[in-house]
Amino acid sequence: MVYRSYFDIPSNNKKNLKGSSPLLTDKLVEELQGANLIFISFFLFNNEFLLKELEKLSEKGCKINIYSLPLGGYSKTGDKVYDKDFEQSFSPSKYDYAEKIYSRIEKIPNIKLNICPHTYIWSKQKYSRGDQPYSLHSKSIFARFSDDYYKCISSSCNFAVGDPPHSENLLVVENCANTKNMFSEYFYQLHKYSVSQNQYNNNKSDDKDKGYSDVQYTIKESKDLPGQNQNCYFTAPFIKYEGIGSNHYVQMRIVDLLTQAKNKIYICSQHFSDFNSFDSESLSIVKEIRKIKVLNRDIEIKVLKQTHHSDLKQPARTLATENFLKGIEGIEQKYWKSIIHDKFMIIDDQLIMTTANFTSTQFAWKENHEMEYMVSVKGQKPYKVSNTFSEINSFHFVNDLETVSAYEGHFNNLWDRAEYI
């Protein structure tokens, strides 16, 4: 088993045509050279540079399957995006870039786009990105190079055009049977609950006059996978571990590891507000680290994030988290506004690298959850939709000392430039 990690801290605040991290986009392209089969699960897929590189691979015979959101999940707000030399600027929205990319993929042999329309609405509210909050948030790639050589890749980076520059990281896992099996099962299940681009567009066209929306795509059953002794997990509405909802199970694994910490806990995340979950059956990482500090006064606990509560339109949980942690001496909190986008934890000599934020929605999971709003469909009485509530993300539990040390160095670089809360 081999690990490789890459990191990026932006040197300017200009949006780039290669996405929020041109460096990691290039590194990803390098890692995929020579692959003959690629599966991509991206929260957003609107990067023309990346698509052109994938097209080059497809011309050599590589088959590529991409899973991403419906176009309704992309923001329509335009902003300046610059080329690599910052000499030219463009103003289309993320939606405009995605619409162009989605249309182009239909014409490329060996590349298929599959739409994951599952939503994870607990209750109806306004969201900043697109029309609805789609559950697919994982930025993960499964690449086969030969029958016995695979790479499993996860990143904090969206690789999306229109995203501002962020601090990002990318983890490559080579030839780990455990990780390979989990990635393989994830993409098998993701494909099962996705629809082809053409099928999705046809369904949308047929249902337009009926008033349907993506909340009609529901998941009623999930695959039960083994959870013990795994070093990789996916949270998803279609996955359980040992009969437990995947988000709950992974949170339990994280808490178990945290409670074993003796020397240090470093948490780096765009958002850290796993305080009062939407889900009463969910634990709270925030509350657990405070308990840990009470029991072990000598342990070093640092929390680094992007968002201060004053920057948010819905600040309640973030403010509650900040105040809760301030109640115990020795828990340090910092933030770097608009920059931090990494998602990882360092617990003594172990690493948890993920595509997820540590929020009140990430660790909520409920099968056949009845949404708290009515859906109106022409010709029918308004009714409530039941669906499985879950975000889709990947989690890596890493014991490799060189990789943990690299992530700790990245954390310290960010920490030194951040501000105290």
Side-chain angles (χ1 to χ4, degrees):
M1 174 170 45
V2 175
Y3 289 102
R4 271 191 305 284
S5 51
Y6 303 99
F7 306 94
D8 189 19
I9 301 176
S11 58
N12 62 74
N13 62 357
K14 292 185 176 181
K15 296 179 180 180
N16 194 285
L17 281 172
K18 282 190 177 182
S20 64
S21 174
L23 171 65
L24 293 193
T25 299
D26 288 338
K27 293 298 182 183
L28 176 60
V29 170
E30 289 177 16
E31 289 287 349
L32 295 178
Q33 295 306 305
N36 56 45
L37 178 64
I38 299 174
F39 295 89
I40 297 174
S41 165
F42 273 12
F43 163 47
L44 301 172
F45 194 87
N46 70 348
N47 189 319
E48 187 174 13
F49 171 83
L50 180 57
L51 179 61
K52 286 180 179 178
E53 294 299 319
L54 293 174
E55 190 171 0
K56 292 176 186 177
L57 292 175
S58 74
E59 290 170 354
K60 297 176 182 178
C62 181
K63 295 183 179 180
I64 301 169
N65 293 277
I66 301 167
Y67 301 85
S68 194
L69 304 187
L71 287 173
Y74 292 83
S75 169
K76 294 185 177 181
T77 302
D79 198 1
K80 285 187 176 181
V81 179
Y82 294 82
D83 68 9
K84 64 179 181 178
D85 299 317
F86 304 114
E87 293 180 352
Q88 226 174 345
S89 65
F90 311 84
S91 298
S93 66
K94 289 182 182 179
Y95 178 96
D96 294 325
Y97 286 112
E99 187 177 40
K100 178 181 177 181
I101 293 295
Y102 281 27
S103 176
R104 178 173 171 175
I105 289 175
E106 292 180 334
K107 303 175 180 66
I108 304 176
N110 288 337
I111 299 183
K112 294 181 179 179
L113 175 63
N114 303 278
I115 303 298
C116 182
H118 183 268
T119 61
Y120 69 117
I121 306 169
W122 196 269
S123 59
K124 190 68 174 177
Q125 56 182 298
K126 179 68 175 176
Y127 291 86
S128 59
R129 59 174 192 261
D131 299 330
Q132 298 181 47
Y134 294 96
S135 60
L136 182 63
H137 190 256
S138 178
K139 285 77 69 173
S140 299
I141 303 99
F142 185 38
R144 184 188 72 187
F145 297 79
S146 65
D147 289 343
D148 58 356
Y149 180 34
Y150 292 80
K151 292 180 184 179
C152 300
I153 303 172
S154 291
S155 180
S156 63
C157 185
N158 293 330
F159 301 99
V161 177
D163 270 8
H166 288 136
S167 71
E168 307 281 13
N169 67 88
L170 183 145
L171 181 69
V172 181
V173 185
E174 279 187 17
N175 286 2
C176 171
N178 187 305
T179 304
K180 169 194 166 184
N181 291 340
M182 192 62 71
F183 267 64
S184 178
E185 185 64 47
Y186 164 70
F187 277 104
Y188 177 82
Q189 296 297 329
L190 180 63
H191 186 82
K192 181 178 176 181
Y193 291 106
S194 299
V195 295
S196 69
Q197 181 177 201
N198 287 337
Q199 182 183 347
Y200 178 81
N201 291 337
N202 290 337
N203 289 347
K204 272 294 190 185
S205 179
D206 292 342
D207 293 338
K208 187 175 182 181
D209 293 333
K210 300 176 183 177
Y212 275 32
S213 66
D214 290 327
V215 297
Q216 267 69 34
Y217 289 90
T218 59
I219 294 174
K220 299 298 185 184
E221 59 182 10
S222 53
K223 180 68 177 293
D224 199 10
L225 302 177
Q228 292 292 331
N229 303 316
Q230 303 291 337
N231 57 10
C232 174
Y233 299 91
F234 281 89
T235 60
F238 42 78
I239 293 177
K240 289 181 180 177
Y241 298 103
E242 300 178 13
I244 300 172
S246 52
N247 304 62
H248 290 169
Y249 192 91
V250 171
Q251 187 188 46
M252 289 165 55
R253 278 292 321 273
I254 294 172
V255 169
D256 285 345
L257 197 57
L258 287 169
T259 57
Q260 297 173 34
K262 292 180 173 59
N263 301 311
K264 67 184 173 216
I265 297 173
Y266 295 166
I267 297 173
C268 184
S269 181
Q270 181 183 14
H271 304 290
F272 186 63
S273 56
D274 176 32
F275 186 60
N276 293 319
S277 176
F278 285 90
D279 179 2
S280 61
E281 296 182 15
S282 177
L283 300 173
S284 168
I285 292 173
V286 175
K287 293 177 182 178
E288 290 298 326
I289 64 172
R290 179 169 163 167
K291 288 179 188 176
I292 292 164
K293 185 63 176 177
V294 170
L295 294 172
N296 181 1
R297 290 288 181 179
D298 294 329
I299 194 169
E300 184 182 22
I301 299 181
K302 293 181 176 180
V303 176
L304 177 62
K305 58 181 183 171
Q306 180 188 125
T307 52
H308 186 273
H309 74 268
S310 61
D311 301 322
L312 300 173
K313 293 182 179 179
Q314 299 178 19
R317 281 185 171 82
T318 300
L319 176 59
T321 298
E322 292 170 0
N323 289 336
F324 184 79
L325 295 179
K326 284 179 181 178
I328 291 294
E329 184 179 353
I331 297 179
E332 297 182 272
Q333 300 180 76
K334 279 189 173 185
Y335 75 104
W336 191 354
K337 183 178 178 180
S338 303
I339 297 298
I340 304 294
H341 197 255
D342 301 274
K343 302 121 176 22
F344 64 89
M345 293 184 181
I346 297 170
I347 304 168
D348 289 344
D349 57 357
Q350 298 187 69
L351 167 74
I352 300 173
M353 182 275 173
T354 177
T355 62
N357 289 298
F358 305 111
T359 64
S360 56
T361 56
Q362 166 54 48
F363 298 108
W365 197 95
K366 190 170 183 181
E367 213 163 18
N368 297 323
H369 170 68
E370 188 177 79
M371 307 304 173
E372 298 177 5
Y373 62 93
M374 305 300 290
V375 175
S376 296
V377 178
K378 291 180 180 180
Q380 298 182 28
K381 291 183 179 180
Y383 65 95
K384 289 187 177 181
V385 173
S386 292
N387 204 346
T388 302
F389 183 97
S390 172
E391 286 194 34
I392 300 175
N393 279 297
S394 61
F395 290 78
H396 296 265
F397 289 69
V398 180
N399 291 312
D400 181 75
L401 291 178
E402 184 177 346
T403 304
V404 176
S405 178
Y407 271 83
E408 186 170 346
H410 181 57
F411 180 92
N412 289 332
N413 285 338
L414 295 170
W415 183 264
D416 290 343
R417 298 165 69 174
E419 299 180 50
Y420 276 103
I421 294 175

